[in-house]
Amino acid sequence: MSYQNLDGALRNHFPRLSLLSIAVMSATSMNALAASDSNDNVTAMETVVVTASVIGNSQVEDVREYPGARTVLTSEQIEKTAAHSIDSALQSVPGIKVQDETGTGVLPNISVRGLKASRSGHAQFLMDGVPLTLAPYGHTGQSIFPATLSMLERIDIVRGGAAVQYGPNNVGGVINLVTKPIPHQWQTEISNRLTVFEDGDTPLNDFYLRTGGWLTDSLALQLEGNFLKGESFRDHSDTDVKNFQAKVQWLLSDTQELQAFIQRYDADTQMPGALSPDDYKQDRTQSKRPYDEYQGQSTRWSLKYLHDLDIADGAEFELLTFGHKSERFFQWGFNSAGGHWADPALPSTHIRTSPREFNVYGIEPKLALYVGQGKSVSQNWIVGARYVNEDVDYKLTQTPIAGGATATPRDWHLDTDAFAGYISNEIGFLNDTLKVTPGVRYESVDMAFKDIGKSENANNKVTEWLPGLTLAYHLNENWVSYANAQKSLRAPQIAYIRGLGEEGSELAWNYELGARYTQQSTSFNVALYRIDFKDQLQWQSGTQTFDNIGKTLHQGIEVSGRYIPESMQALSLGASYNFLDATLEEDGANKGNQLPHTSQHQLSWDATYAFTKIDTTLSGFYFSDAYTDNANTSEEDATGAKGKVPSYMVWNFNLGTDLYKDENNLLRMNVAVNNLFAEEYYFRGIDTSPVGRYPAPGRSYTLDLNYQF
């Protein structure tokens, strides 16, 4: 095999590897080829991959030696488990719980290890390593979620050990959404996923188009479009999403590379809202919230420059710039005539809206330096810094339904300048049998708050040192044990710093202890975890401010595994279990109670068997019951605002087969049934409709056709 062919093959299989990584792997492979063609006893050069990212390229292979709990969901695995949205794909990951607000995946509410699920505001979301959050410091809630499942190659869920490099808002870990890479050979992909809900009227159609490849030896281009349109299983659930992306990859030289990305995302959806217990029993598909709806628009971009440096035993410099301009608009019914404002059994007297605008810009240089190749002690340094500016307009309006003037109870503006610096050093002892990685992150956040309606200003300054330490010990070729401890931060949100201001950050210490076994396609992982969250901000009505008094403790065990028998490669079995004890620790009557919306027990499973050319998969998940309030009220009240949420178990079935396949063409079909046994279950307390039972999707049928040529 020639060097040129080998280099192309590596780029095709690992399209996101840096130039230096490919060069080193190519050299390694060439040595191995030379050794195989020679009678001499030649030792191939050790593969060294230098990358300026703690989580690497979010490949499945990156999990094998990672010193923490981590799961990578591939597009193939997501397909087999019949997931039709990002949040439904995450249901199978231990420690993650999802409240499905729309049935279409437009507004996921994702909780990690018992942290609050509302708008997925307690986890660090990335897309290809770039912050996805609306405002990483001042507004972490994902009230625009500019990502669709059809555009993803895989999802990397890192639950421990990455806080030093990826911050802030990493108490729940880091979730990296990896988009489809540019293929080496020009390729076009067309797919259409049609979902019919058993209780719905209009099917939900998901159309995806991608075309791209290398135009020359040094320039690659890819264009994508994703269109989601239709309804879920509820009345008042019309959905229209358009997602466009473009990528450019330019090899400036043998050691320099430029990667560019731009995206336009538009979403418009009605929101059916919660139901009173009586209305839920009568017809769980109806809607009693006729005024609730949502629109979101976002234009996102990033530019990454990579330069492989000929220093030490390998080095890579990376310069990332990114930004976005986003607008989101929620509208909902509000009752001011008595009773709870969101009681779905009562008529609304007003319409409220919350238009918000976000302008965000960031720049992040970082350097990775590897020394000690072939020695008993090696070091892999990562040094980086980041500056982020956030400009947020935060408004609330209220208009009487019967007619009258529109009031503006809230008109705020937040300008944030945030600087972060971090350094870590992975030290390998005993030929990398033992790896110790100390690191520290420094955050300095300046927030300028202005209440335009009241001509009030407040400034808030936050500075924090966030240390971290990870340990990994390779017991043998297949087993690695690990431990990590890290301090995490969530900066004060825009709503927190008004009034008296000078609010501190929400801080937590995260700990993990675990072990992982990997042999070919078989794997097993067990992890003990603990989150000491000592500084959660809570609203104090007496002073109209937020105080750092919230204390919670999240601890448990995660177990996951996959088994493919050597004698029966057509069979694949996967399962996971999570036990979570998430409790309130602040002094008072509720101390020791279970945190709202947290399930102590979570199970997921999947079994795939290939009959000739047909892959058949049966999968599912189970969550135990959960409370709704801090007092752990068991009995449901008349409005459905309080009371236990019952446990639920959902089964999915998927059948997939290649209808046609040759060297350059692939036509694949999948037929799926979600919620196979029509389990009726619900949630409570979701954002603009927090009172009542919020129905989860019933049974649905999906036909998915994908053609690549």
Side-chain angles (χ1 to χ4, degrees):
M1 179 184 291
S2 69
Y3 176 82
Q4 290 79 7
N5 290 338
L6 179 61
D7 176 71
L10 287 167
R11 283 199 173 279
N12 193 28
H13 191 63
F14 301 105
R16 292 198 169 278
L17 286 180
S18 68
L19 295 167
L20 177 63
S21 303
I22 291 175
V24 173
M25 293 178 69
S26 299
T28 304
S29 302
M30 289 175 69
N31 282 354
L33 288 171
S36 63
D37 293 337
S38 172
N39 293 326
D40 297 331
N41 186 15
V42 179
T43 302
M45 185 177 66
E46 179 186 0
T47 300
V48 177
V49 177
V50 180
T51 175
S53 171
V54 170
I55 62 175
N57 297 292
S58 289
Q59 299 275 1
V60 173
E61 294 80 4
D62 293 329
V63 177
R64 182 184 180 102
E65 298 184 1
Y66 185 76
R70 183 177 182 184
T71 304
V72 173
L73 300 176
T74 64
S75 56
E76 180 183 9
Q77 183 179 352
I78 292 171
E79 173 190 287
K80 288 181 178 180
T81 54
H84 54 76
S85 63
I86 293 172
D87 52 353
S88 63
L90 291 171
Q91 296 272 33
S92 64
V93 179
I96 288 188
K97 185 178 182 181
V98 174
Q99 290 180 310
D100 193 331
E101 185 175 7
T102 63
T104 59
V106 175
L107 287 168
N109 294 278
I110 298 167
S111 169
V112 183
R113 291 177 171 174
L115 297 165
K116 293 178 182 178
S118 180
R119 297 287 167 256
S120 307
H122 281 72
Q124 172 72 255
F125 276 89
L126 310 172
M127 181 181 284
D128 296 332
V130 178
L132 189 71
T133 307
L134 278 171
Y137 290 89
H139 188 83
T140 62
Q142 293 282 173
S143 51
I144 297 177
F145 198 84
T148 47
L149 183 63
S150 296
M151 287 187 167
L152 300 185
E153 179 75 7
R154 55 192 179 275
I155 305 175
D156 186 7
I157 306 98
V158 182
R159 298 181 293 286
V164 169
Q165 183 167 345
Y166 297 100
N169 193 37
N170 46 29
V171 179
V174 177
I175 300 176
N176 188 27
L177 308 177
V178 182
T179 61
K180 294 185 177 181
I182 304 175
H184 187 65
Q185 300 293 333
W186 194 274
Q187 185 183 75
T188 298
E189 177 180 357
I190 302 174
S191 71
N192 196 86
R193 182 188 298 119
L194 183 69
T195 300
V196 178
F197 292 91
E198 197 167 79
D199 300 315
D201 295 325
T202 304
L204 184 67
N205 195 69
D206 186 345
F207 177 77
Y208 172 69
L209 174 64
R210 174 180 65 90
T211 187
W214 286 82
L215 300 169
T216 68
D217 290 340
S218 60
L219 184 64
L221 170 69
Q222 181 164 277
L223 303 174
E224 298 174 89
N226 196 185
F227 308 89
L228 186 67
K229 189 173 181 61
E231 296 181 358
S232 73
F233 68 104
R234 303 276 309 277
D235 295 337
H236 191 66
S237 63
D238 285 347
T239 299
D240 187 0
V241 176
K242 302 178 182 67
N243 191 8
F244 301 94
Q245 292 179 182
K247 291 181 181 179
V248 175
Q249 191 171 350
W250 185 14
L251 306 182
L252 303 174
S253 70
D254 291 341
T255 59
Q256 298 179 78
E257 181 177 345
L258 198 63
Q259 299 174 3
F261 172 88
I262 189 168
Q263 176 191 21
R264 174 64 182 182
Y265 175 89
D266 288 272
D268 187 346
T269 183
Q270 296 174 330
M271 303 176 68
L275 296 170
S276 70
D278 289 340
D279 286 333
Y280 179 90
K281 294 172 184 176
Q282 180 188 37
D283 181 5
R284 68 191 302 271
T285 70
Q286 64 179 314
S287 172
K288 294 290 187 177
R289 304 282 297 173
Y291 304 107
D292 293 16
E293 60 183 52
Y294 158 80
Q295 293 91 40
Q297 300 86 36
S298 184
T299 301
R300 302 176 62 251
W301 62 272
S302 66
L303 188 65
K304 182 185 292 185
Y305 169 74
L306 298 167
H307 189 183
D308 296 325
L309 305 173
D310 187 18
I311 57 176
D313 292 318
E316 179 185 75
F317 172 75
E318 177 184 308
L319 178 63
L320 170 68
T321 59
F322 61 91
H324 69 84
K325 179 179 176 60
S326 302
E327 299 178 5
R328 66 85 146 158
F329 177 89
F330 279 94
Q331 175 182 291
W332 67 96
F334 184 89
N335 169 42
S336 62
H340 195 285
W341 66 265
D343 188 340
L346 300 175
S348 298
T349 60
H350 294 75
I351 293 177
R352 282 194 162 184
T353 71
S354 60
R356 296 178 187 173
E357 297 182 10
F358 303 83
N359 287 280
V360 174
Y361 169 78
I363 183 168
E364 182 172 6
K366 52 186 175 180
L367 174 69
L369 180 69
Y370 180 82
V371 294
Q373 182 178 358
K375 299 180 181 179
S376 59
V377 177
S378 64
Q379 299 183 66
N380 189 6
W381 289 88
I382 296 179
V383 182
R386 187 175 70 181
Y387 167 76
V388 174
N389 175 260
E390 303 170 355
D391 190 286
V392 181
D393 287 319
Y394 191 106
K395 187 179 288 187
L396 175 70
T397 72
Q398 180 169 301
T399 306
I401 293 176
T406 297
T408 306
R410 185 183 305 157
D411 191 359
W412 298 344
H413 182 82
L414 181 68
D415 188 70
T416 301
D417 287 293
F419 170 80
Y422 53 88
I423 182 171
S424 66
N425 183 21
E426 181 187 78
I427 309 171
F429 299 97
L430 306 174
N431 293 318
D432 287 342
T433 300
L434 172 65
K435 292 184 177 180
V436 181
T437 309
V440 65
R441 183 181 184 91
Y442 173 75
E443 293 276 8
S444 176
V445 187
D446 283 302
M447 293 178 160
F449 169 81
K450 184 176 183 180
D451 190 329
I452 298 173
K454 298 180 181 179
S455 299
E456 295 179 358
N457 300 324
N459 294 304
N460 203 43
K461 173 76 172 181
V462 171
T463 58
E464 293 289 345
W465 289 95
L466 306 171
L469 177 67
T470 67
L471 304 171
Y473 181 71
H474 294 75
L475 303 174
N476 54 40
E477 185 178 310
N478 304 116
W479 279 98
V480 58
S481 59
Y482 58 83
N484 60 70
Q486 56 191 3
K487 190 178 182 181
S488 304
L489 167 147
R490 184 173 184 251
Q493 304 295 279
I494 183 172
Y496 298 170
I497 63 172
R498 64 190 180 91
L500 297 179
E502 299 182 0
E503 301 297 349
S505 298
E506 297 179 89
L507 299 171
W509 272 98
N510 298 42
Y511 308 94
E512 282 187 339
L513 178 65
R516 181 182 297 108
Y517 172 83
T518 309
Q519 186 176 27
Q520 297 179 347
S521 299
T522 297
S523 63
F524 172 79
N525 184 78
V526 57
L528 297 169
Y529 62 88
R530 178 185 176 102
I531 302 175
D532 286 317
F533 209 160
K534 298 182 179 180
D535 296 285
Q536 293 192 60
L537 293 169
Q538 290 191 348
W539 175 249
Q540 302 300 305
S541 58
T543 59
Q544 295 289 294
T545 61
F546 286 82
D547 289 344
N548 283 320
I549 64 170
K551 299 179 182 179
T552 61
L553 178 63
H554 311 243
Q555 54 188 347
I557 182 172
E558 295 175 356
V559 181
S560 61
R562 179 158 300 279
Y563 175 61
I564 300 178
E566 292 185 9
S567 59
M568 193 184 299
Q569 293 291 309
L571 178 65
S572 175
L573 302 173
S576 70
Y577 169 74
N578 178 66
F579 172 77
L580 169 65
D581 183 27
T583 55
L584 292 157
E585 295 299 308
E586 62 183 274
D587 293 333
N590 296 326
K591 184 174 182 179
N593 284 359
Q594 187 176 328
L595 281 175
H597 312 296
T598 61
S599 296
Q600 286 196 328
H601 303 282
Q602 172 196 357
L603 285 166
S604 69
W605 57 89
D606 66 87
T608 297
Y609 188 78
F611 295 92
T612 312
K613 295 182 179 180
I614 300 177
D615 296 325
T616 304
T617 303
L618 188 64
S619 61
F621 53 85
Y622 165 83
F623 289 88
S624 62
D625 55 19
Y627 294 103
T628 307
D629 61 345
N630 289 349
N632 286 183
T633 305
S634 294
E635 295 299 320
E636 185 177 43
D637 63 5
T639 67
K642 298 180 181 179
K644 266 192 173 183
V645 176
S647 62
Y648 53 92
M649 180 184 294
V650 175
W651 293 80
N652 301 318
F653 174 78
N654 187 80
L655 185 152
T657 185
D658 294 337
L659 299 178
Y660 177 78
K661 184 178 182 180
D662 62 23
E663 185 177 352
N664 299 312
N665 298 271
L666 173 62
L667 176 61
R668 184 167 179 83
M669 179 185 71
N670 281 275
V671 178
V673 183
N674 289 82
N675 199 348
L676 183 63
F677 300 112
E679 174 86 347
E680 293 190 358
Y681 63 108
Y682 58 86
F683 311 104
R684 298 191 206 274
I686 301 182
D687 203 62
T688 57
S689 187
V691 172
R693 299 182 178 184
Y694 215 113
R699 186 190 288 128
S700 65
Y701 308 90
T702 298
L703 173 63
D704 185 4
L705 291 172
N706 182 285
Y707 181 43
Q708 298 179 28
F709 58 96

